[in-house]
Structures are given as structure tokens and as C-alpha cells.
Amino acid sequence: VCGNSDSILIREDDEDTGVTKLILNNPSKYNVLSSKMMDLMMVQLEDISGSTSTRVLIIGATGKAFSSGHDLREINSHQQKFDNNSGNQDGQQPLHDLFQKCSEVMLAINNLPQPVIASVQGVATAAGCQLVASCDLSIASQSSRFGVSGINAGLFCSTPAVALSRNVGRKRAMHMLLTGDLISAKEALEYGLVNKVVFPERLEEETMELATKIASKSDFGVRLGKKMFYEQLKFDELGDAYEFALERMVCNLGHDDARAGIDAFMNKKKPRN
């Protein structure tokens, strides 16, 4: 365990399963993605990225909220300094840096070699919803809610829209962004924002069950597959995507895990991982 119960971010490593957990632990402030929280997340994500023992990462949270997004007090403080600086353009740099830091956290999750699962126990709004959308997979409690509600305060959730629009259809994404309405866990499942909805008391067990199942697979194959999946989406031409994918397929077949797995299948043996 990295970080005690008083830390706003807790890390737990299970070497037996290969599953690592990052737990947002600032429930009194609804696990806001403050500058400090994001700094801590970046340190851990960079460390996990280079880890050979972590095969799957779970991002969870304590309290009633998964994350309410950015710390509005922090944003307001930067905005006041900008106003006091007579609107000088340089005065907006702290705000730019804050949102840039958030974007870097989301990109770090996307670029992490290991699959990332969001375990959502409560409300996930604005950048908190963006965090869920940035994870590769997500399991939600029946009591969880999701929204990009910045527009209710006059601020369109522009950066959360990037991740959201890459998870749900355009019409549904725009409805969420323009109304600021919260959607239920069931609706999030229908929209494609989460993979599964479970009873609250089953959330931790169901998330670990999925994580350990993935962790039991070929680590080389899973890492190659995650990177390939996102890279092939960048191609405009279908033929180019297939060309890229077949090269990854051939590369995968050349690895010992695939050779052993195919041999085990042919000889009805249990493959190694």
C-alpha cells in the first residue's frame, strides 16, 4: 500500500494477481480533481507505466462521489487573480496549466500499457465523468450517476467532451453536454459509457473479478492489443487500419506466449501466461 488512509490518493498493489488500485480518497470534497490530486495521479501513472508486475489498473474512489470533477474553488481563485490583473492574457496561464494537467492525466491513462478499469461507486460529473470515459473499461454501481454539468454554471465541458464523444454517440453526448442533466447507471450502460452495472455491495468483487480475468491473460498480448486498438482508430481509411492491424497480428504470433497458447490449444493443454 502506498499512502495511508489520510492520503487523498491511495495505491494498493496485489502482486499475486497483478492488479493495482488507485483510490481517490478525498470524500469530504467529493474527490475533486484538484491540482494536487492530479499531480499525485501522474506520479503513480508514470510509475505503473514502467511496472512489469502490474498487469491491470483499477481506478476507484471512497465516499458518495467517484469524482465531481475540477476543484471549483481552485478555478475561482485563478479566475479572480486574472480579473485582478486587469484581464492581462498572462493571467490566464494558471487556468491553462490546470486544464492542461487534467488532459495529461487522461492521456496518461489512455497511453498506459496496462488496461485501466474505472470502478464507479457514486456520482461522476464533469472531469470526473471524463475520467470514467478515459478508462478502457468501467463497472458502475446501480447508485452511480454521470454528467457533464458545467453548462449549469455557464461553463461548457469542452475538455470532458473529448473523452465523452469517443465513448457515446454524438446525439447523446451533445444532449448531456447541452443540458447538464445527470444520467443513471442504467442509461450510462445503454449509452456505452460503462460496461456493466452491478449492485453496490458487489462493485468491488465484480471489478476485481474482471481485473483478475484480464490479468490472467498474456501480458504481452494484452499490452499489444490495447495499443493496437487505439492506434487503428486513428486511420481514416479502413484498408490502412487493416494493414496496421495485420502487422500487429503477425508481431503477436511471433511472441512465445502466442506460440505456447496455440500449441496448448492444439494439444488440449492449459496455456501459460
Side-chain angles (χ1 to χ4, degrees):
V1 177
C2 179
N4 56 44
S5 59
D6 295 325
S7 300
I8 63 170
L9 183 69
I10 299 172
R11 173 174 170 175
E12 298 177 353
D13 293 287
D14 187 335
E15 294 184 359
D16 292 334
T17 62
V19 176
T20 292
K21 294 179 181 179
L22 285 183
I23 304 169
L24 309 183
N25 186 44
N26 195 9
S28 63
K29 293 189 176 181
Y30 304 103
N31 296 312
V32 291
L33 297 182
S34 63
S35 183
K36 181 180 179 181
M37 177 71 86
M38 292 187 289
D39 282 340
L40 292 172
M41 291 180 73
M42 278 301 297
V43 169
Q44 294 300 331
L45 288 169
E46 288 172 2
D47 184 70
I48 292 167
S49 178
S51 171
T52 56
S53 58
T54 295
R55 290 184 165 217
V56 177
L57 172 64
I58 295 172
I59 296 180
T62 60
K64 295 182 179 180
F66 176 76
S67 175
S68 60
H70 285 290
D71 186 343
L72 294 182
R73 291 181 183 273
E74 188 174 20
I75 290 175
N76 189 52
S77 175
H78 289 316
Q79 190 64 47
Q80 286 182 349
K81 289 177 182 178
F82 170 67
D83 293 340
N84 293 336
N85 200 27
S86 301
N88 188 300
Q89 194 65 30
D90 291 339
Q92 283 194 320
Q93 191 62 44
L95 284 171
H96 178 278
D97 293 344
L98 180 67
F99 292 122
Q100 177 66 35
K101 186 177 293 186
C102 184
S103 296
E104 288 172 356
V105 168
M106 304 305 165
L107 285 169
I109 290 171
N110 186 258
N111 294 329
L112 202 75
Q114 302 94 330
V116 184
I117 305 171
S119 182
V120 189
Q121 91 294 0
V123 177
T125 57
C129 186
Q130 180 185 3
L131 179 57
V132 175
S134 296
C135 293
D136 304 301
L137 302 166
S138 55
I139 296 183
S141 160
Q142 285 183 337
S143 58
S144 62
R145 297 290 183 272
F146 303 83
V148 275
S149 49
I151 196 64
N152 294 335
L155 180 66
F156 189 84
C157 283
S158 298
T159 44
V162 174
L164 182 68
S165 63
R166 283 162 171 75
N167 280 252
V168 308
R170 292 186 182 185
K171 294 290 191 297
R172 284 174 165 169
M174 282 299 288
H175 186 272
M176 291 176 68
L177 289 159
L178 293 172
T179 65
D181 290 346
L182 293 178
I183 62 171
S184 67
K186 181 181 178 181
E187 288 173 307
L189 179 64
E190 293 171 354
Y191 285 18
L193 184 58
V194 303
N195 297 88
K196 189 175 184 179
V197 176
V198 300
F199 291 116
E201 63 272 17
R202 290 276 301 163
L203 179 61
E204 185 174 356
E205 184 178 347
E206 292 272 0
T207 306
M208 273 301 295
E209 186 177 305
L210 175 61
T212 53
K213 183 174 185 177
I214 295 171
S216 72
K217 310 299 182 182
S218 162
D219 191 43
F220 178 84
V222 168
R223 288 172 181 242
L224 179 146
K226 173 177 174 175
K227 185 175 182 180
M228 186 287 304
F229 179 80
Y230 292 114
E231 287 292 326
Q232 62 87 20
L233 291 173
K234 298 177 183 178
F235 291 99
D236 293 328
E237 296 295 330
L238 190 62
D240 293 337
Y242 271 118
E243 182 65 29
F244 174 77
L246 73 85
E247 290 175 359
R248 297 296 86 202
M249 197 89 172
V250 172
C251 174
N252 199 166
L253 282 167
H255 193 268
D256 288 345
D257 284 0
R259 293 176 184 271
I262 292 172
D263 179 69
F265 178 81
M266 297 296 291
N267 293 285
K268 298 183 180 180
K269 298 184 295 185
K270 185 178 181 179
R272 70 181 188 187
N273 293 309

